[in-house]
Amino acid sequence: MILKQFYLNCLAHASYLIGDEQTHAAAVVDPQRDIDQYLAFAAEHGLRIGHVVLTHFHADFIAGHLELRDRAGAAIYLGAAARAEYRFTPLHDGDVVDLGRVRLQALETPGHTAESISLLVYDLDSSVSEPQAVLTGDTLFVGDVGRPDLRVALGWSASDLGGMLYDSLRNKLLALPDRSAVYPAHGAGSLCGKALSKETHSTIGEQRRSNYALQPMSKAAFVDLVTADQPDAPSYFTYDAVLNSQERPTLDETLERVNALNLDQLLALQAVGAQVLDTRDPAEFAAAHLIGSINVGLGGQYATWAGTVLSREKPIVIIADPGREHEAAMRLGRIGFDQVVGYLENGLHSIESRRELTASTERLSPQVAAERVATAERAPLMVDVRAPGERQQKHIVGSVGIPLSHLGERLSELPADRPILVYCAGGYRSSIAASLLQRHGFMQVGEIAGGIAAWDAGNLPLERSYSGRS
């Protein structure tokens, strides 16, 4: 048996290839949309990918099932409760995807979504009765369980799905042998749960002992627990979940439309509403950028934040370091943002002779920022764009909190005639926030370089959630 985990850090997403070395048959489970790595691995090991399984309609990324269908000839499998526009084989409890001496057997495990399934993985040469592993999708994570509230916009009650999740975990997954390996679809950093471990695999026994959501409790207590304090989900989550059930263009087809643009072409598109996305490092963006552009750097959680702050309804033009344009468009395609119409040829070098088109963002050291707040006649307003849970732990004294995910809808709360200093944990999100503020006409915007980490390291005043120095 071959069981290979592929882990995509920027989306905290795990996918799997399972194969039989004797028959050369293979299946891919929960693939990302760019599928070359699965094809390359299969070719290297002499495998043929004949099957692709989605454990559910993922909300945080577009899966590569149609790509594997079209390029590898793979048949698509979904949970029996799923409804989709493309042809698929429904999997009920006990249904099997046979690879030879390796077998995948479906467990219907609704709760995260109504159509969620898990897959038992059997190596028949080792045991015909005991699974070697279980691929749990978003039903069970290492250290957490799937959130049941992501289908509210599609008519599902979080409480109803939470009750299903309780039954699926206790009646299906916890009934498995303790030594069965657990391979989930996500790890730490995913918004599909609230306490995911950095570990990407575990065992049923370890999760039975250590996972907070698997401890003895009533169904009502469980539902209350798993519906409370979930992180904000970006608006594109519902869009992606629906798109995963639809027939759609493949990633290759969408990327074929992304072409180089000269500066005049970019400016013409910007003038009629196109979004200009600058994917360079925040420090480079701060030094110089096209007026009106939005910075989401490729070095961070690029797709998640681009999907949060950009509109799906408007075209996107990319500014990137030369050679990284394709990567920037492809990573947007992973979340279904297929409206990239082009990229600026030669990146920001194309604007060097047109200084009137550029702006900069002041980045202040924590010490200079603190001095300016304390002594300036018109003291800057410090805006904390981290998540509420981060702010609750510690924040800069005198700052106001507006999470980046809600900044666009709360701009009216900020004074247009007062300098603004934004900060986050380390500088990635504050650059996004500063670019959004500038795009909406705020003229006096700066950042605290290094974020709250640098502020704290400089022994500057902080308010903390526990008794200690302030």
Side-chain angles (χ1 to χ4, degrees):
M1 182 179 76
I2 296 173
L3 198 165
K4 167 69 174 176
Q5 182 185 72
F6 299 84
Y7 198 80
L8 182 62
N9 281 299
C10 63
L11 291 175
H13 164 222
S15 54
Y16 301 90
L17 186 148
I18 302 97
D20 185 329
E21 288 185 323
Q22 297 179 37
T23 64
H24 309 290
V28 177
V29 179
D30 292 333
Q32 61 194 63
R33 196 177 179 194
D34 44 314
I35 61 168
D36 286 349
Q37 62 184 337
Y38 311 115
L39 300 178
F41 183 89
E44 181 182 349
H45 291 81
L47 300 171
R48 186 184 74 82
I49 300 173
H51 317 271
V52 55
V53 187
L54 299 191
T55 57
H56 63 291
F57 294 133
H58 295 273
D60 55 324
F61 69 95
I62 300 302
H65 50 300
L66 301 188
E67 283 77 6
L68 282 169
R69 178 196 67 186
D70 291 356
R71 289 180 61 186
I76 299 172
Y77 299 78
L78 304 172
R83 300 292 179 268
E85 293 179 356
Y86 44 81
R87 180 178 297 178
F88 69 92
T89 299
L91 293 175
H92 299 82
D93 266 332
D95 285 349
V96 166
V97 178
D98 193 351
L99 304 177
R101 298 300 295 167
V102 177
R103 176 180 299 163
L104 305 181
Q105 183 174 320
L107 283 180
E108 293 184 83
T109 51
H112 176 65
T113 71
E115 77 282 354
S116 289
I117 58 172
S118 299
L119 293 170
L120 302 176
V121 183
Y122 288 89
D123 181 349
L124 300 181
D125 288 334
S126 297
S127 173
V128 297
S129 60
E130 187 171 306
Q132 299 294 304
V134 56
L135 308 185
T136 55
D138 285 16
T139 300
L140 173 62
F141 300 124
V142 179
D144 204 354
V145 296
R147 59 191 294 181
D149 63 327
L150 294 181
R151 292 295 186 272
V152 172
L154 299 177
W156 287 94
S157 158
S159 295
D160 289 347
L161 285 174
M164 296 179 192
L165 184 62
Y166 179 90
D167 292 336
S168 294
L169 292 165
R170 281 153 176 78
N171 299 336
K172 300 285 184 70
L173 294 179
L174 287 182
L176 299 174
D178 277 355
R179 57 179 166 265
S180 298
V182 171
Y183 289 99
H186 290 293
S190 169
L191 295 175
C192 293
K194 57 187 176 182
L196 283 72
S197 169
K198 65 181 180 181
E199 303 298 328
T200 61
H201 60 88
S202 182
T203 65
I204 289 292
E206 177 58 32
Q207 291 309 295
R208 192 192 310 276
R209 289 187 295 272
S210 63
N211 192 313
Y212 76 97
L214 301 185
Q215 304 314 301
M217 68 185 80
S218 68
K219 182 181 290 190
F222 174 86
V223 170
D224 288 343
L225 184 65
V226 298
T227 55
D229 301 322
Q230 291 288 0
D232 282 346
S235 60
Y236 73 85
F237 271 30
T238 297
Y239 169 79
D240 279 14
V242 173
L243 193 58
N244 273 319
S245 71
Q246 296 176 338
E247 187 71 41
R248 51 155 178 81
T250 64
L251 183 61
D252 287 342
E253 290 170 332
T254 65
L255 293 179
E256 285 176 357
R257 304 195 296 263
V258 180
N259 298 304
L261 303 171
N262 62 39
L263 179 58
D264 289 338
Q265 290 173 315
L266 181 150
L267 294 174
L269 287 166
Q270 187 182 33
V272 295
Q275 304 164 104
V276 180
L277 175 63
D278 190 321
T279 67
R280 295 174 302 139
D281 179 85
E284 296 176 349
F285 180 86
H289 55 266
L290 179 70
I291 293 171
S293 59
I294 298 171
N295 177 231
V296 185
L298 286 171
Q301 289 186 303
Y302 165 74
T304 299
W305 282 115
T308 299
V309 301
L310 297 178
S311 168
R312 297 189 307 274
E313 312 303 323
K314 297 179 180 179
I316 298 171
V317 179
I318 288 169
I319 295 176
D321 290 325
R324 302 196 72 183
E325 302 92 351
H326 177 83
E327 176 192 353
M330 181 272 292
R331 288 173 62 182
L332 289 179
R334 284 174 176 165
I335 61 166
F337 275 56
D338 291 345
Q339 70 273 31
V340 178
V341 294
Y343 59 88
L344 181 61
E345 192 170 19
N346 297 321
L348 207 69
H349 299 302
S350 299
I351 314 178
E352 288 177 347
S353 63
R354 301 284 301 277
R355 294 294 185 182
E356 77 278 8
L357 297 176
T358 65
S360 60
T361 307
E362 190 174 23
R363 305 190 98 197
L364 304 179
S365 71
Q367 292 76 14
V368 171
E371 182 179 353
R372 189 171 296 183
V373 169
T375 62
E377 183 176 340
R378 295 175 64 249
L381 174 66
M382 289 186 289
V383 179
D384 181 350
V385 297
R386 297 172 303 149
E390 294 174 278
R391 179 171 172 81
Q392 186 176 13
Q393 292 177 16
K394 61 181 178 181
H395 59 269
I396 298 176
V397 174
S399 65
V400 299
I402 302 181
L404 177 56
S405 56
H406 293 286
L407 182 61
E409 68 204 49
R410 295 177 61 181
L411 293 173
S412 62
E413 299 177 25
L414 297 175
D417 59 349
R418 180 179 174 186
I420 293 173
L421 277 178
V422 292
Y423 73 89
C424 62
Y428 182 82
R429 284 172 288 177
S430 66
S431 183
I432 302 172
S435 68
L436 285 171
L437 290 172
Q438 289 177 326
R439 186 169 184 261
H440 284 90
F442 289 83
M443 304 305 295
Q444 303 175 76
V445 179
E447 298 177 64
I448 298 177
I452 198 168
W455 186 279
D456 197 3
N459 294 314
L460 293 165
L462 284 175
E463 186 170 325
R464 302 176 187 270
S465 61
Y466 59 89
S467 58
R469 72 172 179 85
S470 62

